[in-house]
Amino acid sequence: MTAVLTRNGPTNGHPAPTTGSNSEHTGFRPDVQGLRALAVSLVVLYHLYPTLIPGGYIGVDVFFVISGFLITGLLARSVARTGKVGLLGFYGRRARRLLPAATLVLTVTWVVSRQVLPVTQLSDTATQIRASALYFQNWVLAGNSTNYLKSDNAATPVQHFWSLSVEEQFYLFWPLIFVIGGFVAYLATRRTIGRHASALTARQRHVIGRSVCLLLALAIIVASLRFSAHETVSNPSGAYFETSTRIWELGIGGLLALLPGRVAYRLGRVGVLAWIGLAMVLVSAFTISGTSSFPGTIALWPVLGAAAVLACGSSSAKLGTARVMSRRPLVVIGDLSYGIYLWHWPIIVLWQAYYGSGIGYFDGPTIIAASVLLSYLTKRLVEDPIRSARFLRSTGRSLAVVALAIVPVTLATVFLINQPGASSGTIDASHPGAAALAAPAASSSPAAAKSATATTPDKVADAKIIPSLATVGSDYEVASLPNCKTSQTGTTPTICTFGDTATPTKTVALIGDSHAAQWSSDLDTIGKAEHWKIVVETKDSCTFGATTTTLNGSSSPYSSCVTWDKNVMTDLLTKIHPDVVIVSERADSGTTTNPKIDATAMAEIGKGMADYWTQLISHGMKVVAIHETPEPGKNIPDCLAERDATISGCAVSASSAVTKDTPTDVASTLMKGAVPVIDMTSHICTTTTCPAVVGNVIVYRDNQHLSQTYTESIEPYLKSALLKTAALSTST
């Protein structure tokens, strides 16, 4: 998933008052609104023009710090004033402040999405709208990012709600530090009275409670930061969205609000630190990029920068940033920032879906203007009236606002319930699939090949193709289901058995990544016919070989793959004992010495594959390789689902889709003919073109994997090729 589609977040944590003096009692500081305006500007500009501000997504980290600072300050003042936290009242105020606008955006976005988005994206959008309304969107995205089958899915119009989910999960437990602090102060009071000493004063109890809160906050921050650093390395895809890797960012803002008054006062007068902090935020936005390991320790730059501006940027600081950050235009934008963030991302995604192109330099200002206008209207007509309504000021009625979430949740759920199940369709005379390429005419000339694969009519809306566009994204082969593979973070092989498991004459193991798994349904069919037991072990993005590869363009070793490979080798030698091992991989990995995916890396990976094949052969097993399949480089179902899409318009050139000198090619050369290689490319592409649809069957279910229906049409040709090898011929 690209950084531009994942690194985004909401602009919440606004203080309840929007006017007032710069006093501790109201908690309002105009310079904080200015900081918020800067943060939302960075995020919006990054989403519009990611190459302009490559690290603009750090704006969300700034918002986390602001939110922790403001909300913790409100809680601390409430405890100092009343002596209690008032959890229900706190959650009621949060609901009244955030839910009305969020519900409106989610509902409008879903209604427009039904009209604008490709049908292939509606299921994901509905799922994420429901998750956003219930504040667990970040965990859906974390799961998708580590789920290889979903990691390349297009960004939905509500993906940005992930960080709003992080914040609300944070505030489920963060007020408990005040509860614990108050309880410790109470115990201290009882203990003092029990010793017949004078009772502690209210101020002393407050100091004890606040000190406990400070220590608890510090402990939580340290633990979360350490976990964030570890998870960013071991699970980089999921770490970005996890609440546990982000707690420390909100916590640092909260820590500022808990500092003793004298410390905060002295720190707040060192205005030069605010300028340093502001510089740290701006430098981070231009030097951190989408390929950076984030959040981890690198997030300390924008987080500590924002903290410095908050701590030292008020009007009381000498030579501080308050005069600049409190300018009226910045304060106005800061006041609208929550709505600007909520609206801008759906507009960007739906704009691109409608016009079928990227954001141009003249489109951006229009989108910004629309976001500001919608934010203003939302604030004036929805947010402010509901937040200030006397009728809703009681705790019970405030909490009742949560019921607003029923609207988008119901709309999304009804759609998902009525979605058709995954149906592959039937390979028949009207839908021959790969058989269209196998016809003699298909190979006689480019023109004849084009004629053999053409679908009439060419316009997708009029063509009768299978699977349906609504279900092709879930047209998986049997070994690609979650219970039959190992995830990117897993190291223990999952063994699945297919084919003839009752009276097999051979045991055939299928080993590799998801591109190996895409042949599992065919092998299941072939195994049942030829009496082979098919044993499958696959792991997402993991090449079966001795070379240490990397993952997702990172330079860090894909350590779990190394361990998994060794465990698979152990399984093959000690548990499975196959007669034949079929291997297949995808040519998309770098190595620790050559992180870039190029010919050098492929040669290294090919050598590692040959090393493993040699080990298997030395133990009496035969090895057969299935060559890497062509990759279109774009999501074929999404292309076909666009407005007025044509089937020919979604085809790609064979020269761009077919990779040359792949790791399998290198390994085969090193093995000097000892390992036969089966290449199914001619059943997927012509000599010049890789069509989106062949024989009325959609070839790919995403941007790289064949649909299960199309592989079903290839099965007779794969079977013939396998039986022609010495390893699997009927005479052996």
Side-chain angles (χ1 to χ4, degrees), residues 508-529:
V508 178
L510 175 64
I511 307 296
D513 56 17
S514 62
H515 281 229
Q518 68 186 356
W519 302 113
S520 58
S521 291
D522 283 0
L523 287 176
D524 179 30
T525 301
I526 296 169
K528 289 173 180 174

Side-chain angles (χ1 to χ4, degrees), residues 108-352:
V108 171
T109 298
W110 175 242
V111 171
V112 178
S113 294
R114 291 295 306 271
Q115 307 302 315
V116 173
L117 285 183
V119 65
T120 52
Q121 297 176 17
L122 288 177
S123 180
D124 270 350
T125 299
T127 298
Q128 292 187 28
I129 280 179
R130 184 169 59 184
S132 297
L134 298 176
Y135 295 105
F136 64 90
Q137 163 77 326
N138 63 310
W139 293 108
V140 171
L141 294 179
N144 286 353
S145 66
T146 55
N147 181 350
Y148 192 67
L149 298 179
K150 292 182 175 291
S151 61
D152 289 322
N153 285 5
T156 72
V158 296
Q159 185 165 293
H160 62 315
F161 272 76
W162 74 268
S163 50
L164 183 57
S165 299
V166 168
E167 287 203 28
E168 296 318 299
Q169 291 165 30
F170 174 81
Y171 290 120
L172 283 177
F173 78 87
W174 188 250
L176 296 179
I177 68 173
F178 291 95
V179 175
I180 296 172
F183 182 67
V184 172
Y186 167 77
L187 291 180
T189 302
R190 292 290 301 270
R191 185 178 181 186
T192 301
I193 294 175
R195 292 179 176 179
H196 305 289
S198 59
L200 295 175
T201 65
R203 178 174 177 77
Q204 288 173 321
R205 290 196 300 272
H206 177 68
V207 169
I208 292 174
R210 190 148 179 158
S211 298
V212 172
C213 290
L214 193 66
L215 291 174
L216 284 173
L218 187 60
I220 291 170
I221 291 168
V222 171
S224 174
L225 178 57
R226 290 189 63 180
F227 180 76
S228 181
H230 172 269
E231 192 74 351
T232 301
V233 174
S234 62
N235 181 24
S237 299
Y240 190 85
F241 301 106
E242 295 175 6
T243 304
S244 46
T245 64
R246 298 289 189 162
I247 288 172
W248 66 275
E249 299 184 29
L250 292 114
I252 281 181
L255 191 67
L256 289 178
L258 292 171
L259 289 175
R262 289 184 179 180
V263 175
Y265 176 76
R266 292 178 179 177
L267 184 61
R269 292 182 64 82
V270 188
V272 67
L273 289 180
W275 286 107
I276 293 174
L278 187 60
M280 291 172 66
V281 171
L282 292 173
V283 170
S284 297
F286 287 94
T287 57
I288 295 174
S289 70
T291 59
S292 303
S293 297
F294 207 88
T297 54
I298 197 174
L300 283 166
W301 284 94
V303 168
L304 293 181
V309 176
L310 291 173
C312 312
S314 71
S315 59
S316 64
K318 293 182 179 180
L319 303 176
T321 57
R323 180 171 295 183
V324 173
M325 302 301 290
S326 299
R327 296 287 183 183
R328 181 63 181 167
L330 289 177
V331 173
V332 171
I333 295 299
D335 204 34
L336 296 175
S337 59
Y338 178 52
I340 290 173
Y341 189 82
L342 289 180
W343 284 111
H344 89 281
W345 182 249
I347 294 174
I348 289 174
V349 173
L350 295 173
W351 180 288
Q352 290 178 305

Side-chain angles (χ1 to χ4, degrees), residues 424-428 431 464-468 696-699 707 709:
S424 62
T426 303
I427 299 298
D428 54 25
H431 303 89
K464 295 181 179 180
I465 55 179
I466 61 171
S468 70
N696 289 326
V697 179
I698 300 175
V699 180
S707 70
T709 305

Side-chain angles (χ1 to χ4, degrees), residues 14-19 96-98 100-101 335-336 338 375-390 392-393:
H14 291 44
T18 57
T19 60
R96 214 165 69 233
R97 171 68 186 90
L98 299 175
D335 204 34
L336 296 175
Y338 178 52
S375 175
Y376 173 77
L377 293 175
T378 301
K379 188 175 187 302
R380 289 294 302 271
L381 302 178
V382 179
E383 290 183 67
D384 289 348
I386 293 179
R387 189 178 66 238
S388 59
R390 291 187 178 182
L392 294 174
R393 288 184 180 177

Side-chain angles (χ1 to χ4, degrees), residues 8-67:
N8 33 56
T11 61
N12 28 328
H14 291 44
T18 57
T19 60
S21 64
N22 182 28
S23 70
E24 183 180 351
H25 299 291
T26 64
F28 178 76
R29 281 174 44 184
D31 63 289
V32 175
Q33 294 293 77
L35 182 61
R36 183 181 287 114
L38 172 63
V40 76
S41 298
L42 291 176
V43 174
V44 172
L45 287 174
Y46 170 73
H47 287 155
L48 289 171
Y49 309 114
T51 57
L52 184 66
I53 307 179
Y57 59 84
I58 58 92
V60 70
D61 304 273
V62 175
F63 282 122
F64 282 155
V65 180
I66 294 172
S67 181

Side-chain angles (χ1 to χ4, degrees), residues 420-670:
S423 175
S424 62
T426 303
I427 299 298
D428 54 25
S430 300
H431 303 89
L437 284 174
S443 59
S444 60
S445 70
K450 181 178 180 180
S451 175
T453 59
T455 303
T456 304
D458 188 42
K459 191 173 181 179
V460 176
D462 300 326
K464 295 181 179 180
I465 55 179
I466 61 171
S468 70
L469 288 172
T471 62
V472 66
S474 300
D475 193 25
Y476 305 137
E477 51 285 329
V478 291
S480 286
L481 299 177
N483 63 344
C484 199
K485 64 173 184 172
T486 304
S487 68
Q488 289 182 346
T489 57
T491 57
T492 303
T494 300
I495 299 177
C496 285
T497 305
F498 305 105
D500 185 347
T501 59
T503 58
T505 59
K506 279 187 176 69
T507 297
V508 178
L510 175 64
I511 307 296
D513 56 17
S514 62
H515 281 229
Q518 68 186 356
W519 302 113
S520 58
S521 291
D522 283 0
L523 287 176
D524 179 30
T525 301
I526 296 169
K528 289 173 180 174
E530 297 297 322
H531 301 291
W532 301 341
K533 181 170 74 172
I534 308 297
V535 181
V536 179
E537 288 188 337
T538 61
K539 175 178 169 64
D540 291 340
S541 302
C542 182
T543 300
F544 182 62
T547 303
T548 301
T549 60
T550 58
L551 183 64
N552 297 332
S554 168
S555 59
S556 302
Y558 188 6
S559 301
S560 64
C561 178
V562 174
T563 304
W564 182 85
D565 280 346
K566 293 177 180 177
N567 290 337
V568 168
M569 182 64 77
T570 299
D571 282 352
L572 292 171
L573 300 181
T574 63
K575 293 181 182 179
I576 303 173
H577 304 292
D579 300 288
V580 179
V581 178
I582 298 176
V583 293
S584 190
E585 323 286 347
R586 182 190 181 201
D588 74 327
S589 298
T591 67
T592 50
T593 55
N594 290 283
K596 186 177 180 180
I597 303 171
D598 57 16
T600 303
M602 289 190 191
E604 289 187 17
I605 294 171
K607 183 180 182 304
M609 290 165 58
D611 289 346
Y612 266 34
W613 296 356
T614 301
Q615 288 187 50
L616 295 175
I617 292 172
S618 69
H619 284 82
M621 303 173 196
K622 297 177 181 179
V623 179
V624 176
I626 299 178
H627 198 274
E628 292 86 350
T629 54
E631 296 185 29
K634 64 180 179 181
N635 190 298
I636 293 299
D638 283 356
C639 179
L640 293 170
E642 291 177 357
R643 288 189 309 128
D644 300 322
T646 60
I647 293 171
S648 59
C650 292
V652 298
S653 67
S655 60
S656 64
V658 179
T659 304
K660 298 184 182 301
D661 300 322
T662 67
T664 298
D665 292 328
V666 173
S668 175
T669 299
L670 292 172

